[in-house]
Amino acid sequence: MKLDKKIAIVTGAASGIGLAIAKRYVAEGAIVAIADLKEDAAQAAAADLTKQGPGKAIGIAMDVTSEEQVNEGVAKVVAQFGGVDILVSNAGIQIVHRIEDFPFAEWKKLISIHLDGAFLTAKACLPHMYKKKSGSIIFMGSVHSKEASPLKSAYVAAKHGILGLARTLAKEGGPYGVRSNVICPGFVRTPLVEKQIPEQARDLGISEDEVVKKVMLGNTVDQLFTTVEDVAEVALTLASFETSALTGQSIVVSHGWNMN
Ligand code: NAD
């Protein structure tokens, strides 16, 4: 098993990509804390994954924008399991508007979940990783860490910002054996994307079918969605890679939509 008894915290893992990563990690023997705003869903997912084994999972309530909740959640994991080896900062939302119509409160909410959340969770985990002189931090970026699309100013700004945070952390963490990388998925059919299909159809004045075929999959090499399992496989590689040869990188998983 590639993650036997490794301790991982995955934020936003009650659903979608984070849940698939938690599942993949538990299948490789890890102890995974599913940290999510939705406490009941996190606990239900953890019970389900523990049944599947061979690793196990716990669910913890965490709003990644709250310094207090992040610190409490990380402290709970460390007290229960003795440390933290892997952080996947994955919690995220999407809000789409043209810039001139973007409510400032919604801009701030999105930036806070993606950027404050990534910063606060990394900050809370690092001392424990530095003490052990090893660790892997994985940030969930997006093709939108590298490209822009209309209506997504806040998301594109946040996802570009994550690259800067991850690269700085790679440099600061290097001497302590802590690696920092970003996964950049293309469109994955999770609740986050399902919600956008009618919203984009409305805002762009096209049909929902056109949103899927043209906007979401138009630039892929094979008109296919990336799957949660594809992303989880990359998250496993980044978590289990043994040296700091692989740090400060951003890996695009997008059926060729983006090749940078
Ligand atoms: P999802 O909606 O299925 O899951 C997101 C999870 O984050 C939910 O369980 C939600 O409760 C949780 N969450 C939201 N706000 C939170 C907060 N403040 N604190 C803690 N948890 C919070 O979405 P997903 O598609 O699985 O997205 C996961 C990540 O992947 C996001 O960062 C997203 O930007 C990124 N991503 C998604 C896609 C895609 O196409 N689905 C593509 C590229 C990147």
Side-chain angles (χ1 to χ4, degrees), residues 10-21 34-39 41-42 60-66 69-70 89-94 109-110 112-114 117 139-145 152 155 159 162 183-196 216 225-226 228 231 253 257:
V10 186
T11 70
S15 170
I17 292 172
L19 179 56
I21 292 172
I34 295 180
D36 204 288
L37 207 51
K38 296 179 185 150
E39 187 178 6
I60 53 179
M62 183 188 288
D63 177 348
V64 296
T65 67
S66 157
Q69 287 188 32
V70 168
S89 168
N90 164 80
I93 59 165
Q94 178 61 282
K109 178 180 175 188
L110 189 149
S112 180
I113 292 173
H114 288 267
F139 295 100
M140 198 53 63
S142 163
V143 163
H144 286 110
S145 298
K152 295 193 174 172
Y155 190 81
K159 291 300 194 190
I162 281 171
I183 303 177
C184 299
F187 281 100
V188 184
R189 211 143 184 179
T190 65
L192 179 140
V193 159
E194 293 294 347
K195 179 173 166 285
Q196 282 173 60
M216 295 185 166
F225 278 98
T226 300
V228 293
V231 182
V253 195
W257 165 17

Side-chain angles (χ1 to χ4, degrees), residues 96-102 150-151 153 203:
V96 293
H97 295 292
R98 292 180 59 80
I99 294 171
E100 66 272 25
D101 300 326
F102 219 117
L151 312 177
S153 53
D203 287 353

Side-chain angles (χ1 to χ4, degrees), residues 60-62 66-79 124:
I60 53 179
M62 183 188 288
S66 157
E67 185 171 22
E68 201 186 342
Q69 287 188 32
V70 168
N71 290 345
E72 267 175 26
V74 172
K76 189 174 168 188
V77 171
V78 171

Side-chain angles (χ1 to χ4, degrees), residues 126-178:
L126 277 176
H128 306 289
M129 295 181 170
Y130 285 175
K131 217 190 292 174
K132 279 195 181 174
K133 290 249 178 225
S134 83
S136 175
I137 296 191
I138 299 164
F139 295 100
M140 198 53 63
S142 163
V143 163
H144 286 110
S145 298
K146 314 233 172 194
E147 303 244 2
S149 294
L151 312 177
K152 295 193 174 172
S153 53
Y155 190 81
V156 170
K159 291 300 194 190
H160 275 64
I162 281 171
L163 290 182
L165 174 64
R167 289 168 179 161
T168 306
L169 178 45
K171 295 204 171 186
E172 292 186 9
Y176 300 92
V178 173

